[in-house]
Amino acid sequence: MSKKMSNSQISTEDRIKEAAKKVFLEKGFDGTTTRDIAKQAGLNCALMNYYFRSKQKLFSSVFEDMLILFFQGMTNILNKPISLKEKVVELVNHDFRTLVENPSLTNFVLNELHREPERFGQTFNAHKMVNEALLARQLEEASAKGEIRPIDIKNFFPLLMANIHFLFLCKSMTMETWNMTEADFVRFAEKHKDMVIEMVTDYLFLPQEVP
Amino acid sequence: MSKKMSNSQISTEDRIKEAAKKVFLEKGFDGTTTRDIAKQAGLNCALMNYYFRSKQKLFSSVFEDMLILFFQGMTNILNKPISLKEKVVELVNHDFRTLVENPSLTNFVLNELHREPERFGQTFNAHKMVNEALLARQLEEASAKGEIRPIDIKNFFPLLMANIHFLFLCKSMTMETWNMTEADFVRFAEKHKDMVIEMVTDYLFLPQEVP
DNA sequence: AAGAATTTTAATCAGTTGTTTAAATTTTTT
DNA sequence: AAAAAATTTAAACAACTGATTAAAATTCTT
C-alpha cells in the first residue's frame, strides 16, 4: 500500500476519497452505499476496501476533514491577534464564503453529529482548535472596558454562526419558495450576511463615549 | 381497515405512527429500518404495511406532521392581527418551546428536505400556511412609517428562525463541549433566546421620535 | 527480461432490508 | 353461536448491502 503517484497524477486513494466526500455530503452516511462511491470514483467497489478497509473508516476520514473545514474560521480567525470587531466580521465573511463553496457542509456535519454525538469529542478535542481561554479573556476585557455587552463565550459562538449556517441549511427550501436560481440565492445570501453582520455588531458593540 | 378503537384506547395505527415518529426523528429515513419501528411499537413488522402500505408512505405521513409542527409558529402567529413586534417576540418564544419539547425536529425536517427538496412544495403548498401578502404589506407599512428598517420578507423569515433553530441543531455538540446536563442546556438555550429577541428587535425596530 | 510486489478486477458470500404470503387470531355481523 | 370480516402473526422472498476472495493486470525490483 505505498504511494505510486508521480507528478500531478491524482492517486487512486485520493480519487476514492474525493468521490466519497461528494456522495457522503449529499446523501449522508446512511443514505450512501459503497457501490455509490465506487461508481462516482469510476472504479471497482472492492478497491474502496483495499485502501480504506471499510465504509466506516472511509467515512471517518471524510468526516474529519469536513469537521475541520466547518470549524476552520473559528480556528484561524478567533485565535488571531486582532480586535473583537474584526474577528466577528472576518468570521462571518469566512463562513459565508466556505458555505458558498460547500453548500451542504452544515447539513452534513450537524446531521452526522446528531447521529453519533461522540464523534465530536473524538475528532474535535484531538485538534483543540479554538483557544477558549484567549477568547474568553478578550470578551471579558472588552466587556470591562464597556466596549461590548457582557456576553458568555457559550453564547458568543452560536451568535456568530447561527445566521449564516441556517441560511444554507434552508437553501433548497428558500430557492423553491422564491423561485431562485443558484445565482439568485448567492446574491440573496450575501445581502442577508451583510444584514447579519450589522445586526450582530450593532448589538454586541456598545457606542463609545467621545471625551 | 375501519376504526375499532373505543374510548381512550390508542389505536394500532396511532401506535405505529407514534413509534415511527420517534424512530424517524432520531435516525432519519435512511437510518431507520421497518423492524426498528415494529420493535419500538411492540408489534409485528408486517402490521406496518397492513396499515401504511410501505415505509415510504408511513414516512410521508410522519413527515407531513413534522413539517406542520415546524411551521406552526409562522402559521398561527404571523397571520394574527397583532403588531410586528408582538409577532417577533411571540414567534421566537413559540419556536423555543416547540424545540424544547422536540429537540431533533429541526435536524429531522431540514435533513429530509435536503434529501428530497421536492417534498417541501408538495406538503407545504398544500397547506399554504403563511399569508405572505399580509405580512409583506405589514412590513412595508411599518417601514414607510419609519417604525422598522426596510426589510425584504425573504430576509425576515430566516432572521426570526435561524438563531433558535441553530441552537437546537447544535444541542449535542454544545452539551458535550460545556459538560451540560439536559436542564443546563435548557437554561442556556432560554437565556440565549432572550438575548436573541433583544438583538433582533433592537435591530429591526427603530427608535420612535417623541413629538 | 524474469520474478516479486502491488494494484485492480469480477465473482461471491453472508447478513440485512422492505415487502409479501398464507395461516392464525380476534372482532363484528347475522 | 355460526359465518364473515378485520386484525395480527410467523415465515419467507427477492433485492440489496458491506465485505471478502482469488485471480488477473500492472508496476517495481533485480
Side-chain angles (χ1 to χ4, degrees):
Chain A
M1 207 194 281
S2 71
K3 322 281 167 185
K4 67 161 185 198
M5 171 189 68
S6 68
N7 242 349
S8 78
Q9 184 68 352
I10 189 168
S11 74
T12 304
E13 194 172 335
D14 289 345
R15 252 173 66 209
I16 295 174
K17 198 161 167 182
E18 275 305 304
K21 177 188 158 183
K22 186 165 180 181
V23 182
F24 277 139
L25 268 170
E26 208 50 47
K27 307 203 196 187
F29 180 81
D30 289 327
T32 299
T33 70
T34 53
R35 284 163 177 85
D36 282 340
I37 299 173
K39 186 178 228 177
Q40 174 70 35
L43 39 76
N44 191 285
C45 136
L47 250 192
M48 200 209 74
N49 277 36
Y50 177 74
Y51 281 101
F52 291 91
R53 302 186 33 143
S54 73
K55 181 190 176 188
Q56 265 295 340
K57 294 247 170 55
L58 174 54
F59 174 79
S60 294
S61 172
V62 171
F63 183 74
E64 276 194 30
D65 290 356
M66 293 304 101
L67 199 63
I68 290 174
L69 183 58
F70 186 83
F71 285 111
Q72 211 169 47
M74 281 178 44
T75 314
N76 295 341
I77 296 167
L78 294 189
N79 285 334
K80 273 186 175 177
I82 56 178
S83 76
L84 262 178
K85 191 172 241 165
E86 285 170 313
K87 286 186 180 184
V88 171
V89 176
E90 269 199 46
L91 181 66
V92 176
N93 279 316
H94 173 275
D95 280 2
F96 173 76
R97 285 193 304 273
T98 301
L99 294 177
V100 168
E101 296 302 315
N102 309 274
S104 29
L105 177 66
T106 307
N107 183 79
F108 173 73
V109 169
L110 294 187
N111 189 55
E112 298 301 337
L113 283 180
H114 180 264
R115 243 183 6 102
E116 301 182 301
E118 326 82 53
R119 276 194 177 278
F120 178 62
Q122 286 167 20
T123 301
F124 189 78
N125 289 336
H127 292 86
K128 56 178 160 53
M129 298 191 263
V130 177
N131 188 339
E132 284 170 21
L134 179 79
L135 183 62
R137 188 153 16 93
Q138 193 171 16
L139 286 172
E140 270 172 37
E141 283 175 8
S143 143
K145 279 194 260 178
E147 292 170 4
I148 64 164
R149 291 174 197 250
I151 186 173
D152 194 319
I153 191 170
K154 292 184 189 64
N155 300 98
F156 188 67
F157 291 124
L159 203 65
L160 294 185
M161 304 183 73
N163 290 281
I164 295 306
H165 282 278
F166 191 77
L167 216 56
F168 285 85
L169 281 166
C170 297
K171 184 183 175 191
S172 63
M173 197 165 63
T174 303
M175 286 178 64
E176 198 168 317
T177 303
W178 310 107
N179 264 85
M180 291 177 176
T181 65
E182 191 73 28
D184 289 337
F185 177 80
V186 174
R187 265 192 301 276
F188 159 74
E190 183 145 30
K191 184 181 144 201
H192 193 81
K193 177 212 71 183
D194 291 334
M195 198 182 80
V196 164
I197 290 180
E198 196 181 352
M199 175 178 74
V200 172
T201 52
D202 278 6
Y203 175 76
L204 219 46
F205 299 98
L206 302 170
Q208 296 301 299
E209 298 171 19
V210 197
Chain B
M1 207 193 280
S2 72
K3 320 282 166 182
K4 67 161 185 197
M5 171 188 69
S6 67
N7 242 348
S8 79
Q9 183 68 351
I10 188 169
S11 74
T12 304
E13 194 172 336
D14 288 345
R15 252 172 68 209
I16 295 174
K17 198 160 168 185
E18 274 306 304
K21 176 189 158 183
K22 186 165 182 180
V23 181
F24 277 139
L25 268 170
E26 208 51 47
K27 307 201 194 189
F29 180 81
D30 289 327
T32 298
T33 71
T34 52
R35 283 162 178 84
D36 282 341
I37 299 173
K39 185 178 227 175
Q40 174 71 34
L43 38 76
N44 190 283
C45 136
L47 250 192
M48 201 208 72
N49 277 35
Y50 177 74
Y51 281 101
F52 291 92
R53 302 186 34 141
S54 73
K55 180 191 177 188
Q56 266 294 340
K57 295 248 169 54
L58 174 54
F59 174 79
S60 294
S61 172
V62 170
F63 183 73
E64 276 194 31
D65 290 355
M66 294 303 102
L67 199 62
I68 289 174
L69 183 59
F70 186 83
F71 284 112
Q72 212 170 45
M74 282 178 45
T75 314
N76 296 340
I77 296 167
L78 293 189
N79 284 334
K80 273 186 175 177
I82 55 178
S83 76
L84 262 179
K85 191 171 241 165
E86 285 170 313
K87 286 187 180 183
V88 171
V89 176
E90 269 199 46
L91 181 67
V92 176
N93 278 317
H94 172 275
D95 280 2
F96 173 76
R97 285 193 304 272
T98 301
L99 294 177
V100 167
E101 296 302 315
N102 310 274
S104 29
L105 177 66
T106 308
N107 183 79
F108 172 73
V109 169
L110 294 186
N111 189 54
E112 298 302 337
L113 282 180
H114 180 264
R115 240 182 10 101
E116 300 181 301
E118 325 83 52
R119 276 192 178 280
F120 178 61
Q122 287 167 20
T123 301
F124 189 78
N125 290 336
H127 293 85
K128 56 178 160 56
M129 298 192 264
V130 177
N131 188 339
E132 284 170 21
L134 178 80
L135 183 63
R137 188 153 15 94
Q138 192 171 17
L139 285 172
E140 270 172 36
E141 282 175 8
S143 144
K145 281 194 258 177
E147 291 169 3
I148 64 165
R149 291 175 195 249
I151 186 172
D152 195 319
I153 192 170
K154 293 184 188 62
N155 299 99
F156 188 65
F157 291 125
L159 203 64
L160 295 186
M161 305 182 72
N163 290 282
I164 295 305
H165 283 278
F166 191 77
L167 217 55
F168 286 84
L169 281 166
C170 296
K171 184 183 177 191
S172 63
M173 196 166 64
T174 304
M175 287 178 64
E176 197 168 318
T177 303
W178 310 106
N179 264 86
M180 291 177 177
T181 65
E182 191 73 28
D184 289 338
F185 177 79
V186 174
R187 264 191 301 274
F188 160 73
E190 183 145 29
K191 184 180 143 200
H192 194 81
K193 177 210 71 181
D194 291 334
M195 198 182 80
V196 164
I197 290 180
E198 195 181 352
M199 176 177 75
V200 172
T201 53
D202 277 7
Y203 175 76
L204 220 45
F205 299 98
L206 301 170
Q208 296 301 300
E209 297 171 20
V210 196

